[in-house]
Amino acid sequence: MNEWHRKAGSASRAGFDVAIGPREAGWDHTGLYVVTLAPGESRLITGREFEWLVLPLSGRVRVECRSKLVLLLGREGPFAGPTDYAYVPVESTFTITSTAGARVALPHARASESLPFRRIPAEECVVELRGSGNCSRQVNNFATPSVLNAESIIACEVLTPAGNWSSYPPHKHDEHREDRESNLEEIYYFEMRAEGDSPASAQAFGYQRVYGTRDRPINIMAEVHTGDVVLVPHGWHGPSMAPPGYDMYYLNVMAGPAQRREMLARDDPDHAWVRKTWATQKVDPRLPFGGRP
């Protein structure tokens, strides 16, 4: 296993399906926990120097922080459309509790400014249909800079229909270039399903590619399954490939050292021309998942 590809279960610790912080990732800013809660079960999180998002992947949860309580209505699963979620400020201790069982993602990033604890409704998520033809995918911009007021964390969900390619053309954001590229660490968390969520979903798989520059080599060609994580410390990343028959979901979590919180990426110039082909193709009619926008 490549050090940057964490197969399902390999990044777990007691009480968490995924537990990756900057120390575990070997970098400075970005982390992700994923937890499965049985009905009525709770989990206490000590937030320390990070701001956090509480994002239901499936089910609903209550979040208590600083003597305030919010209810997240959640969703049936990540292919069911956007969900409401909570923002938890830096240096907070908070508790998440399920009502009937839930699976919850907890993206986090190093921060210093204490912003209000709050619930963000699903209606504020900006759903974008990106690309066309077999490069069509859906981006749920729930915590990108233009949508969420935060200090450092950037997060979105990408849903790719079976047989399509996303995170394409390959792009990178590992150095600061004014108005052209941001320096951001990135986490990909995957969930896969058979098209139409058939019983074959347990066998569902996809692929993720990451490759480096001459000065900063990295080489990942990972077969990914539900619960897998791919870390992108630097380099070109993409495509994310959903084989025929299998839909792909991934959660992207990003943060970096820049003073301005922005998501700027630069296409690999060898493949950037592919974007021009989209003008003559239609968006995949299977999109959007969940009936929006």
Side-chain angles (χ1 to χ4, degrees):
M1 180 178 62
N2 188 294
E3 64 175 314
W4 303 112
H5 175 208
R6 310 292 175 87
K7 294 182 180 179
S10 67
S12 64
R13 76 177 193 206
F16 296 93
D17 305 328
V18 174
I20 296 176
R23 182 177 60 183
E24 291 83 8
W27 56 33
D28 297 318
H29 301 279
T30 313
L32 174 68
Y33 289 2
V34 177
V35 59
T36 300
L37 298 173
E41 188 178 10
S42 296
R43 195 75 78 246
L44 176 69
I45 311 292
T46 302
R48 304 192 307 278
E49 68 272 27
F50 302 102
E51 58 184 357
W52 296 72
L53 308 178
V54 181
L55 178 75
L57 296 170
S58 64
R60 61 175 61 190
V61 294
R62 300 192 306 272
V63 187
E64 185 173 6
C65 177
R66 300 185 176 183
S67 301
K68 295 182 179 179
L69 180 68
V70 299
L71 173 64
L72 303 181
L73 300 178
R75 53 190 169 181
E76 184 178 348
F79 293 93
T83 179
D84 55 350
Y85 68 100
Y87 174 89
V88 178
V90 67
E91 299 292 350
S92 297
T93 297
F94 61 101
T95 302
I96 56 174
T97 304
S98 76
T99 53
R103 191 170 69 261
V104 184
L106 300 164
H108 52 283
R110 200 177 299 278
S112 57
E113 182 182 1
S114 185
L115 299 171
F117 167 62
R118 61 199 186 275
R119 171 186 174 270
I120 297 91
E123 292 73 23
E124 292 190 12
C125 177
V126 176
V127 177
E128 173 188 2
L129 301 186
R130 188 177 297 173
S132 63
N134 63 358
C135 290
S136 301
R137 62 272 203 185
Q138 174 179 335
V139 183
N140 294 341
N141 293 291
F142 72 94
T144 48
S146 63
V147 176
L148 175 70
N149 179 30
E151 181 183 342
S152 58
I153 195 164
I154 299 171
C156 64
E157 302 175 305
V158 181
L159 300 98
T160 309
N164 286 8
W165 294 37
S166 61
S167 278
Y168 194 71
H171 58 280
K172 76 178 185 75
H173 40 72
D174 59 11
E175 56 186 321
H176 176 71
R177 295 174 176 233
E178 192 69 30
D179 297 325
R180 293 182 58 204
E181 184 177 351
S182 306
N183 185 1
L184 298 169
E185 305 161 347
E186 185 166 13
I187 297 173
Y188 280 67
Y189 167 79
F190 292 89
E191 296 206 358
M192 305 291 304
R193 71 171 188 180
E195 194 171 14
D197 202 18
S198 79
S201 290
Q203 288 74 45
F205 70 99
Y207 292 96
Q208 175 66 40
R209 181 79 171 109
V210 183
Y211 58 98
T213 62
R214 180 178 300 177
D215 296 334
R216 304 180 73 188
I218 187 172
N219 185 23
I220 303 169
M221 181 61 202
E223 180 180 307
V224 293
H225 299 257
T226 292
D228 281 18
V229 174
V230 171
L231 306 174
V232 185
H234 57 85
W236 308 104
H237 41 289
S240 304
M241 295 163 271
Y246 298 119
D247 296 326
M248 171 182 282
Y249 163 93
Y250 52 87
L251 169 64
N252 285 145
V253 185
M254 291 164 275
Q259 294 298 312
R260 287 192 300 174
R261 176 174 167 257
E262 55 187 351
M263 187 169 59
L264 300 175
R266 184 161 60 99
D267 286 345
D268 183 337
D270 288 340
H271 306 293
W273 66 270
V274 173
R275 288 188 183 273
K276 297 178 181 179
T277 68
W278 297 347
T280 60
Q281 302 176 60
K282 295 182 178 179
V283 174
D284 192 315
R286 292 173 291 179
L287 294 174
F289 289 106
R292 285 185 61 186

